[in-house]
Amino acid sequence: MRAVVQNDKSRASRRVSRASRPALRGVRRRALRRRGAATTAVLAVAALAGGCAQGDGHGERGAAGRPGPEAAPARAADAAAEAREARAALVAAKRWKLEKVPLTAPAPPEKKPVIKAREGFEVDGQEEDGLPPVFTTVPTKEKVVFLTIDDGAEKDPAFLRMMSELKIPYTVFLTDDEIKDDYGYFKKMQARGVTLNNHTLSHPYLPALSYEEQKHEICGMQDVMEKYYGKRPVLFRPPFGNYNRDTLRAAKSCGIEYAPIWSEEVYVDHWEYREWDQDLHPGDIVLTHFRGENDWDGTMTDMVRRFLDRITADGYAVARLEDYL
């Protein structure tokens, strides 16, 4: 009988327990909600603290430095932009019949290299008088070369399109006798970010001239550049690469700071080299001219194709000379 009573009590207890379960579940749910709210508040404070400590002020970092919700779309947009640029570069390379897409130059150095006159290219009083240095190569370990173009005789619209579509930087040295029939062509070039520089009024052999005659050639071209292009250049290239002390003195008096010449010269059908190894080197300045089929067995675009195919195959990119000076 006692066992039966105990079983009845047990059954009664189970009935009471079942009856109270909904109420208990409600109590538990309310407790969990309170605990969850407290946890959420703690996490929110932590997220704010993390954002202050690790964010950049634009909401791109979340708690504990993890990317916030804005970071993924930004990365996706960057990736999409890079993909578009890569496709455009490939299309341009094919359009201009290049063997490969030209390599992109690294960012210019924050600290510019020290440019000195190349050994053997100095003149008397070079450093004492602070004369513009004559150099053929820019000191750098990066596999970059610099394309420079002289005179201005050929004014090929296809050349402008090619360089713009391929995004190839270059620097020009202009002679007034060669450009005065169409100053506007080089104005278009300048609008594309190309720096226009001084190559004298009439392209004479400067060492044969007096100091005053040389000064007229160089300063006179500075006047032309300022009149038509709004700026007096700081770069000057002596015609034929020939100069003497008077040349550099005159150039300095006209506001010139550098007198780059070249290490290699590229034509439409061949290359010529200054160095004994007949090869490219990091920082080399490459010379060519504004010439077309009247002077060459080909066009300016043919010359650029030869230039780009060669340097790309050797792992070089074209950089902007002014960015290193």
Side-chain angles (χ1 to χ4, degrees), residues 178-300:
E178 301 288 3
I179 69 171
K180 60 186 178 183
D181 62 332
D182 189 0
Y183 290 118
Y185 177 82
F186 299 96
K187 189 71 175 177
K188 294 175 185 175
M189 192 176 290
Q190 185 184 41
R192 289 166 164 81
V194 177
T195 303
L196 310 180
N197 296 292
N198 190 324
H199 199 41
T200 72
L201 289 170
S202 63
H203 205 277
Y205 177 72
L206 290 173
L209 304 182
S210 68
Y211 171 79
E212 290 300 329
E213 289 170 328
Q214 293 195 54
K215 185 174 179 180
H216 169 72
E217 282 285 340
I218 301 169
C219 289
M221 191 58 191
Q222 293 287 78
D223 295 338
V224 169
M225 300 298 288
E226 184 174 31
K227 177 179 179 180
Y228 290 99
Y229 305 113
K231 191 173 182 180
R232 299 176 76 82
V234 296
L235 272 64
F236 159 71
R237 174 171 284 163
F240 314 107
N242 296 127
Y243 61 96
N244 58 18
R245 185 171 186 274
D246 282 347
T247 307
L248 301 185
R249 286 178 56 231
K252 180 182 178 181
S253 75
C254 301
I256 297 299
E257 298 177 11
Y258 301 98
I261 49 176
W262 60 90
S263 188
E264 294 89 23
E265 184 170 0
V266 61
Y267 296 82
V268 74
D269 56 354
H270 71 284
W271 283 69
E272 293 182 0
Y273 302 86
R274 187 181 297 274
E275 307 301 337
W276 64 271
D277 61 359
Q278 303 286 285
D279 204 359
L280 295 171
H281 313 89
D284 276 357
I285 299 171
V286 180
L287 164 68
T288 192
H289 290 81
F290 287 98
R291 296 286 186 271
E293 292 179 318
N294 291 335
D295 301 285
W296 287 343
D297 187 19
T299 64
M300 288 285 290

Side-chain angles (χ1 to χ4, degrees), residues 144-150 159 162-163 168-173 194-195 197 235 237 261-262 264-267 271 283-290 296 300 303-308 311 317-322:
V144 297
V145 295
F146 306 98
L147 179 62
T148 62
I149 312 177
D150 282 6
F159 168 78
M162 181 183 195
M163 301 303 271
I168 303 299
Y170 57 103
T171 299
V172 304
F173 294 86
V194 177
T195 303
N197 296 292
L235 272 64
R237 174 171 284 163
I261 49 176
W262 60 90
E264 294 89 23
E265 184 170 0
V266 61
Y267 296 82
W271 283 69
D284 276 357
I285 299 171
V286 180
L287 164 68
T288 192
H289 290 81
F290 287 98
W296 287 343
M300 288 285 290
M303 177 277 299
V304 173
R305 185 178 304 111
R306 183 182 190 90
F307 166 74
L308 290 176
I311 69 163
V318 187
R320 184 173 177 269
L321 178 59
E322 293 81 1

